[in-house]
């Protein structure tokens, strides 16, 4: 394959088989995404051992690239990935995305079963927030609520601007929703 997406455990298994080692001999780059999530664990230690095994297998050591948006201090993460004996280049973009996060509750009291008037208040406030922003993601805890909320928001801001996304939708609908989001249509 040109690109292999795998887990640390599967990399280990590939390195233990003759066919896997044959396939991995030509690896030029290894990208470890969300490196901060495994760095301090046994799983991360196991991955580093596998990367050393991979390096000894290849004619030329693969370039190791670690990605993390949240790791501080970045120098420690770089040393973890590259090891003490290797040169390492750190690229810290320092990018901090502007966030607009707030918690809001309806003016009416919250109850286990909310009255339609309270839901209307919630839908109207969400519609107002959607109108104030370019893209709005709304997280809910059930598929049913996702569909219901999408329907009520579509009535308020236009059906072409709203869609739901969950595991019970057809693959085509999910992909269309993702594409519309990427294109800035939602």
């Amino acid at each position: 394959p040109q690109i292999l997406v795998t887990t640390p455990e599967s990399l280990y298994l590939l390195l233990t088989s003759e066919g896997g080692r044959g396939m991995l001999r030509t690896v030029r780059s290894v990208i470890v995404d969300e490196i901060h999530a495994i760095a301090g664990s046994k799983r991360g230690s196991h991955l580093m051992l596998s990367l050393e095994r991979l390096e000894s297998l290849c004619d030329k050591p693969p370039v190791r690239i670690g990605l993390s948006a949240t790791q501080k201090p970045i120098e420690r993460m770089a040393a973890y990935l590259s090891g003490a004996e290797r040169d390492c280049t750190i690229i810290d973009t320092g990018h901090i995305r502007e966030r607009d996060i707030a918690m809001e509750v309806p003016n009416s009291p919250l109850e286990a079963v909310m009255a339609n008037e309270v839901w209307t208040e919630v839908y109207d406030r969400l519609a107002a927030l959607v109108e104030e922003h370019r893209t709005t993601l709304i997280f809910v805890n059930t598929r049913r609520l996702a569909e219901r909320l999408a329907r009520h928001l579509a009535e308020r801001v236009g059906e072409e601007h709203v869609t739901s996304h969950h595991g019970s939708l057809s693959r085509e609908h999910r992909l269309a929703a993702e594409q519309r989001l990427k294109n800035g249509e939602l």
Side-chain angles (χ1 to χ4, degrees):
Q2 294 295 315
I3 298 174
L4 174 65
V5 179
T6 189
T7 64
E9 295 78 14
S10 293
L11 175 61
Y12 168 78
L13 290 175
L14 285 169
L15 287 166
T16 61
S17 71
E18 189 173 326
R21 285 190 304 274
M23 177 181 67
L24 294 173
R25 283 189 207 293
T26 60
V27 168
R28 293 182 302 217
S29 302
V30 174
I31 301 172
V32 182
D33 193 14
E34 302 296 341
I35 191 169
H36 64 277
I38 61 169
S41 68
K42 290 180 184 178
R43 188 173 186 228
S45 298
H46 194 256
L47 174 61
M48 292 304 112
L49 287 172
S50 292
L51 290 180
E52 291 297 325
R53 286 185 67 196
L54 176 64
E55 185 169 316
S56 69
L57 180 70
C58 297
D59 293 333
K60 182 179 177 191
V63 174
R64 297 182 188 187
I65 302 167
L67 304 176
S68 174
T70 60
Q71 187 56 47
K72 300 287 181 195
I74 197 169
E75 295 78 14
R76 285 192 67 197
M77 197 55 42
Y80 164 76
L81 179 62
S82 64
E85 305 292 318
R86 295 180 188 90
D87 291 332
C88 177
T89 302
I90 297 174
I91 301 171
D92 184 358
T93 62
H95 175 73
I96 298 174
R97 186 172 294 202
E98 184 179 328
R99 294 178 189 94
D100 182 6
I101 300 173
M103 177 179 275
E104 298 202 21
V105 294
N107 292 325
S108 305
L110 294 175
E111 298 181 22
V113 178
M114 292 196 308
N116 285 338
E117 296 79 23
V118 179
W119 279 111
T120 299
E121 184 182 334
V122 169
Y123 300 143
D124 289 344
R125 180 60 183 141
L126 287 172
L129 290 167
V130 166
E131 294 287 349
E132 293 173 12
H133 297 86
R134 186 174 147 254
T135 301
T136 304
L137 297 176
I138 301 171
F139 295 92
V140 297
N141 60 348
T142 65
R143 295 174 187 146
R144 180 175 177 222
L145 185 54
E147 293 293 334
R148 190 169 115 189
L149 185 59
R151 179 174 53 88
H152 286 283
L153 281 177
E155 291 171 359
R156 288 162 171 78
V157 300
E159 195 168 319
E160 69 277 9
H161 300 297
V162 179
T163 193
S164 62
H165 187 281
H166 55 74
S168 290
L169 294 173
S170 69
R171 182 176 188 270
E172 294 78 23
H173 183 98
R174 283 196 320 271
L175 292 176
E178 292 165 9
Q179 195 59 49
R180 288 175 61 203
L181 180 65
K182 288 177 190 175
N183 293 340
E185 298 168 7
L186 294 177

